[in-house]
Each structure stands twice: as structure tokens, then as C-alpha cells.
Amino acid sequence: MALVALLVLAVSLAWPASSQSLPVLVPVTKDPATSLYTLPFHYGANLVVDIAGPLVWSTCQPGRLPAKFPCTLPTCRLANAYPVPGCHEPGCEQDRRKDGTCTAYTYNPVTGVCASGSLDRTRIVANTTDGSNPVSQVNVRAVAACAPETLLASLPRGSTGVAGLAGSGLALPAQSLEYTPLVQRNENPAYSVLVKSIAMDNTRVSVPDSALATGGVVLSTMVPYTTLRRDVYRPFVDAFAKAVVAQSRHGWPVARAVKPVAPFELCYDSGTLVSGRGGYFVPGVTLTLDGGKNWTMFGGGSMLNVEPGTACLAFVEMKGVKAGDGRAPAVLIGGFQMENFLLEFDMEKKQLGFFRLPFYAPCGQFNFTRSA
């Protein structure tokens, strides 16, 4: 198959490490046997491009990220917003009588055949470019519907589904990034986001809503680590320490606390922490943002190796500021916590787009036609 075009999925994505504006591009190829266009998926497979399609669907190859979407989620309503005429497969309303898991209509645009499929999470291969050459490969996370292999009839050989690119909520362009409103306060031109709550492994930190609203949550590349005003920092650190202890009660190794290393307060013997490619397996720190989106920081964005054998929680207390002082931000998100995220500052729509880069996504030069 010959390379015929480059499809722009998202533009003006700011790469945190270089502060350059890098488009994310996906190579589109034409299948000579069917004259249909495909884009790379993963494991060497492709998805057929359907610019009128409202969904992304595939046959859910091994290695997918298992997920269950309840019927009550807005995602389920988006998946069923555009039912295909003539398709009578069971949708979410009927599925409520079973286990409450959302189903969606998957549709073959060539044969006109449809089937019901559960929603799942997946990744689609993409590349960033400097305008002339590919810079690095990333994996764009997306919600897709699973479909039976029989639905692949008449599609190009090697394809495993369809990438819908229509103007619907679950088409691929709408999933390149997650968005939350950007706020600029009169007294401070810095970029702020509205944080509703903070959680450790889905357990909410006991910080009053008013504490986060007072002063706001500001993004800054001028501080190396996220700093928190005392009225937010104290319950934050206490909650993290308790969550680490709770992990040991569920079969995890006991993490041994060690003498703190300035400027950090909470440090552990790194030999007692389980580690992987994404960093240490410690409680995830989740910021629930305005609009219902979550910014989750796992071990790679929350723990720092400060010296041999010692890893510390990379959040610090804001100095020289009293608890509840609205003249200072409640939280100042620092550079370390913004690493390994793609960020888009959309000033026209006043919103911040973001998604976490997969920890296994390598940096370097890549050929656009590479699909795995």
C-alpha cells in the first residue's frame, strides 16, 4: 500500500520538554484492492478511515485495556447518539437489564452490516512532527467499541475495524485530548484550572472545596515540583502516607519510610517499593478538574529518586504563605508533574487539552509508516 496523505488529528500540541508546538500526524494509506483508506492501529493492524463514522471500533485484539462503561456514563450516551438506520442490535436501554454495561452500534460502512459491541479503551499510533521530519511516536488513547470478526467483511486485508472521523463525541478527532477550562484571574495572568477535589487511589483527600477555590490551581514551569499551600499540603501528605500503608494491607510489600531529604517531607527506602516502566507503584494522585476530567499522576509523576536507595514524594509545601491565604494559589503545578504529558493551550476556546504519554513511548526519529 502506498502512502498517500497525512491526516492531522490534533494541532498545536505543546511538547512539555521542548515547549515547541508539534502537530500530531497519522499516515493514511490507500488499499489498491478496495480503494479504501487506512491508518495504523497497533500490532501491525490498520483501521479503515470513515470520515462520516461516529465511532471507533475494532475486533479488540489481544493486549487491549479492559474497561467497563456503565450505561449511566455520558460516554455511553455519546456512543449511542447516532444509531445507524436499520440496525436493531440491543443498545444500552436493553442492556440495563443485564449487568448495566454499555453497548454501542458498530457498523461496516461497506457492507451496511451492523452489530452490537461493548465499549473499551484502546490506543492508536501517531507521530509528532516538526513540519519536515517525524520527531517521536506517541500512542493516542481512545474509547472504541468491540465488534465480532464477521463485521470485517469487504474491508482491506489487515484491517481490524473502522476509525470514525465524524463530528461526534466519540469519533477519533474528539478523543485526541481531554479538555478542561482555562481560567485567568484579574490579579494574575498565569494559567489556572479549576480543581474540584484531590484523591489518592480514588479516596478523596479531606480538603474543603473552598480551600482549592481560594487562590486557584496554577500551572508553572518556574517551580520544579508541585507546591501546595499549607491548608492543602498537610491533608495531602497525610493522605498519601495512609494510602501507602493501606497498599501493604492488600498484599503489597511494606514500604519503609526513611529520613526525609529536603525539600521533601515524605521519603521511602526505594528498595521496599515495587517499580516498573511507569515508575514506582504508589497511590495514584488524581486531580478532578472542571468538566469531570481527571488528571492522574502515577509513580513516574509523583515520586523522585533523590539519592541512592531513597525516593521521595515530589510535592512540597509552599513557603511564606499562610493557610487559606487567597493571595497565593492553593496549588502550583510544577514542571516535574507536567513532564510526560502533552498539553495544548487553546486560547480561542479558553481550554487546556491534555493527555499522558504512554511510559513505553520512545523518543527519537521514526518513520511515518511505522505502525507498532
Side-chain angles (χ1 to χ4, degrees), residues 301-317:
S302 63
M303 298 295 292
L304 180 71
N305 289 316
V306 295
E307 58 185 37
T310 301
C312 299
L313 177 64
F315 293 78
V316 298
E317 182 178 351

Side-chain angles (χ1 to χ4, degrees), residues 40-57:
F41 188 28
H42 54 59
Y43 300 110
N46 300 307
L47 295 180
V48 176
V49 177
D50 180 9
I51 61 173
L55 285 173
V56 179
W57 65 263

Side-chain angles (χ1 to χ4, degrees), residues 24-224:
V24 172
L25 304 176
V26 170
V28 176
T29 58
K30 185 176 182 179
D31 175 51
T34 62
S35 295
L36 295 175
Y37 299 93
T38 65
L39 54 81
F41 188 28
H42 54 59
Y43 300 110
N46 300 307
L47 295 180
V48 176
V49 177
D50 180 9
I51 61 173
L55 285 173
V56 179
W57 65 263
S58 76
T59 52
C60 293
Q61 299 296 314
R64 70 185 189 275
L65 300 177
K68 286 188 176 181
F69 290 83
C71 285
T72 54
L73 284 184
T75 303
C76 188
R77 292 194 292 271
L78 290 175
N80 289 281
Y82 299 96
V84 179
C87 292
H88 301 291
E89 297 292 338
C92 191
E93 290 302 320
Q94 290 184 345
D95 206 51
R96 286 181 192 272
R97 297 197 297 263
K98 300 176 185 178
D99 61 1
T101 300
C102 182
T103 59
Y105 294 101
T106 55
Y107 172 74
N108 183 318
V110 177
T111 64
V113 176
C114 62
S116 62
S118 61
L119 290 183
D120 216 335
R121 298 188 187 277
T122 189
R123 295 185 178 98
I124 294 176
V125 175
N127 289 278
T128 58
T129 178
D130 60 8
S132 301
N133 301 294
V135 175
S136 65
Q137 187 182 64
V138 295
N139 287 258
V140 178
R141 294 181 294 170
V143 174
C146 297
E149 291 192 6
T150 55
L151 209 62
L152 298 177
S154 300
L155 297 184
R157 185 177 182 179
S159 60
T160 61
V162 170
L165 302 182
S168 59
L170 285 188
L172 188 57
Q175 301 188 64
S176 294
L177 296 174
E178 293 188 287
Y179 291 92
T180 190
L182 272 175
V183 178
Q184 286 186 286
R185 301 172 183 270
N186 292 332
E187 69 278 9
N188 190 341
Y191 296 113
S192 298
V193 293
L194 300 175
V195 175
K196 301 296 186 180
S197 63
I198 303 175
M200 301 290 178
D201 276 352
N202 300 319
T203 299
R204 184 166 177 167
V205 179
S206 58
V207 175
D209 295 340
S210 58
L212 293 171
T214 304
V217 177
V218 178
L219 285 74
S220 175
T221 54
M222 294 295 101
V223 295

